[in-house]
Every structure is written in C-alpha cells, then in structure tokens.
C-alpha cells in the first residue's frame, strides 16, 4: 500500500519558517533549497516548508501540524508555558477536549500547530 510520506506547509518565507519550526521542535533540516526546506520526522516521513506554491496564501487553512506528547495533561501545559515564553502565537488556550488536554498555536503565516496527548 502506498502511504503519504511528506506533509507540506505553505509559508511566505521558507528560511524564516524553517528557523521557527526548527526551534519549536528542536530539529534540523535534511534538505534545503531557497523556497523549500524539509525536516525528517522519522519513519521516512517529512515535514516540508514551501514558499514557492502560490503568491497568495491568504485562503482558508484546513489542516494542522500536531505534536502528540506523553504524560498529558501536565506535558501539554508545560509545552504551552515553554512556547508562550518563546513568544509563539497561541490561538486556542489549553483546555480539555474529548481526546484530552490540548492547545493550538500558529506559525508566522497562521498555519496551525496543535499540541495534544497520544491517543
């Protein structure tokens, strides 16, 4: 069976976004081009940042990058504190959802990043 192995996030400035994601997730790019930068997530899956897809990125956002953490809810709250100390934009404060403790942040382009417990 063929499975997706790359998730592309459209950004306005790939190098700037790569610094943001690299700092946020403590990872280094495995591929860099002027408008396309990829990070290895493990198991052959990559997260890529692409600033060459379109001139207008103001359309609706319909996906999220999700960071699942062990040790929730304490680990989710701790990550929230860490990210707010870094000045990361929070669009949904920590709260309890049907799947556990969660919050949502945004990258510099408004792409959503959810933090939640492992299912």
């Amino acid at each position: 069976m063929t499975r997706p192995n790359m998730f592309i996030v459209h950004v306005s400035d790939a190098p700037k976004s790569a610094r943001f994601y690299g700092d946020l997730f403590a990872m280094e790019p495995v591929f860099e081009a002027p408008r396309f930068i990829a990070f290895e997530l493990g198991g052959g899956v990559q997260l890529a940042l692409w600033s060459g897809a379109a001139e207008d990125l103001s359309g609706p956002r319909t996906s999220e990058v999700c960071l699942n953490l062990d040790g929730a809810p304490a680990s989710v709250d701790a990550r929230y504190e860490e990210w707010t100390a870094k000045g990361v934009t929070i669009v949904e404060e920590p709260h309890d959802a049907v799947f556990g403790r969660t919050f949502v942040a945004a990258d510099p382009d408004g792409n959503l990043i959810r933090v939640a417990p492992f299912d």
Side-chain angles (χ1 to χ4, degrees):
M1 174 188 285
T2 304
R3 297 180 184 190
N5 60 1
M6 179 179 285
F7 298 93
I8 299 172
V9 176
H10 297 272
V11 297
S12 59
D13 182 332
K16 177 182 173 185
S17 293
R19 289 188 298 276
F20 174 83
Y21 280 90
D23 178 57
L24 204 62
F25 297 126
M27 58 186 183
E28 296 291 326
V30 294
F31 178 85
E32 294 184 65
R35 296 181 304 164
F36 186 89
I37 299 173
F39 295 91
E40 180 67 36
L41 299 178
V45 177
Q46 293 186 338
L47 172 67
L49 308 170
W50 188 17
S51 61
E55 295 299 319
D56 180 19
L57 296 176
S58 64
R61 312 256 184 234
T62 59
S63 64
E64 300 174 343
V65 171
C66 186
L67 173 65
N68 293 114
L69 299 175
D70 285 324
S75 61
V76 171
D77 289 337
R79 189 61 52 107
Y80 168 79
E81 295 297 329
E82 177 187 322
W83 286 8
T84 56
K86 290 180 182 229
V88 174
T89 300
I90 303 300
V91 297
E92 188 175 86
E93 298 289 323
H95 64 280
D96 295 320
V98 296
F99 51 82
R101 192 86 172 145
T102 187
F103 72 91
V104 179
D107 76 5
D109 288 291
N111 295 299
L112 301 178
I113 305 164
R114 177 174 299 278
V115 177
F118 276 106
D119 292 335

